Amino acid sequence: MCEVCFVKAALPAYRVGNELYVFPHFGRAPYFVLAEVFGEGFKVLDVIRNPYVLHERGKGHGIVSMLLSHNVDAVIVSEIGHGAFYALRDSGVKIFKLPKMKGKITIEKALTLLTRGKLEEAHEPTEHH
């Protein structure tokens, strides 16, 4: 059975030149990549600017609303705080946690890990203070 048959996923991202990488913290990401995931493949649909990146408080809820308006079913994160985590989970969005890896993780690598079933679903916020 296909664990990820067809979803719209979002990943916090930043750019280095023309390459997109997963940003380590969900709420502080300058961009979000939206991708369609189907079976063992994926297609990047859009890169959207995070309008909440400079907000001091409550940015997670603004980002969640923005992603839900794009019909996101899943997010892939390294770190995510309590507010965004519970708002996403309570809206039915699956939250997948990237394993600790050395160096930068490209968006393509993260999506490949998802399509191959290599990412665990997060059951609690991953942000550590």
Side-chain angles (χ1 to χ4, degrees), residues 48-108:
I48 53 176
R49 190 173 299 279
N50 177 1
Y52 303 97
V53 72
L54 297 177
H55 289 211
E56 285 297 316
R57 313 241 346 116
K59 67 177 90 182
H61 288 287
I63 294 167
V64 169
S65 294
M66 175 185 72
L67 295 178
L68 291 175
S69 77
H70 286 279
N71 301 311
V72 167
D73 304 302
V75 295
I76 301 173
V77 299
S78 289
E79 288 193 22
I80 186 168
H82 284 75
F85 177 87
Y86 290 110
L88 286 165
R89 189 191 69 181
D90 293 348
S91 297
V93 175
K94 289 186 179 256
I95 302 157
F96 292 94
K97 182 175 62 172
L98 283 167
K100 296 286 181 208
M101 301 172 108
K102 289 191 183 234
K104 298 179 243 183
I105 302 169
T106 65
I107 294 298
E108 289 78 13

Side-chain angles (χ1 to χ4, degrees), residues 1-127:
M1 187 170 123
C2 174
E3 187 167 313
V4 182
C5 290
F6 181 83
V7 297
K8 192 171 192 182
L11 301 90
Y14 69 103
R15 237 185 247 285
V16 176
N18 290 328
E19 190 69 55
L20 287 163
Y21 297 93
V22 176
F23 195 81
H25 189 279
F26 181 80
R28 297 185 191 120
Y31 301 98
F32 282 88
V33 170
L34 302 177
E36 188 175 83
V37 179
F38 43 90
E40 290 190 18
F42 60 85
K43 175 181 162 190
V44 171
L45 300 172
D46 203 359
V47 178
I48 53 176
R49 190 173 299 279
N50 177 1
Y52 303 97
V53 72
L54 297 177
H55 289 211
E56 285 297 316
R57 313 241 346 116
K59 67 177 90 182
H61 288 287
I63 294 167
V64 169
S65 294
M66 175 185 72
L67 295 178
L68 291 175
S69 77
H70 286 279
N71 301 311
V72 167
D73 304 302
V75 295
I76 301 173
V77 299
S78 289
E79 288 193 22
I80 186 168
H82 284 75
F85 177 87
Y86 290 110
L88 286 165
R89 189 191 69 181
D90 293 348
S91 297
V93 175
K94 289 186 179 256
I95 302 157
F96 292 94
K97 182 175 62 172
L98 283 167
K100 296 286 181 208
M101 301 172 108
K102 289 191 183 234
K104 298 179 243 183
I105 302 169
T106 65
I107 294 298
E108 289 78 13
K109 173 75 172 170
L111 287 165
T112 299
L113 289 169
L114 179 67
T115 61
R116 293 190 178 155
K118 303 287 187 193
L119 299 182
E120 288 182 28
E121 193 171 341
H123 298 290
E124 60 186 20
T126 58
E127 180 178 68

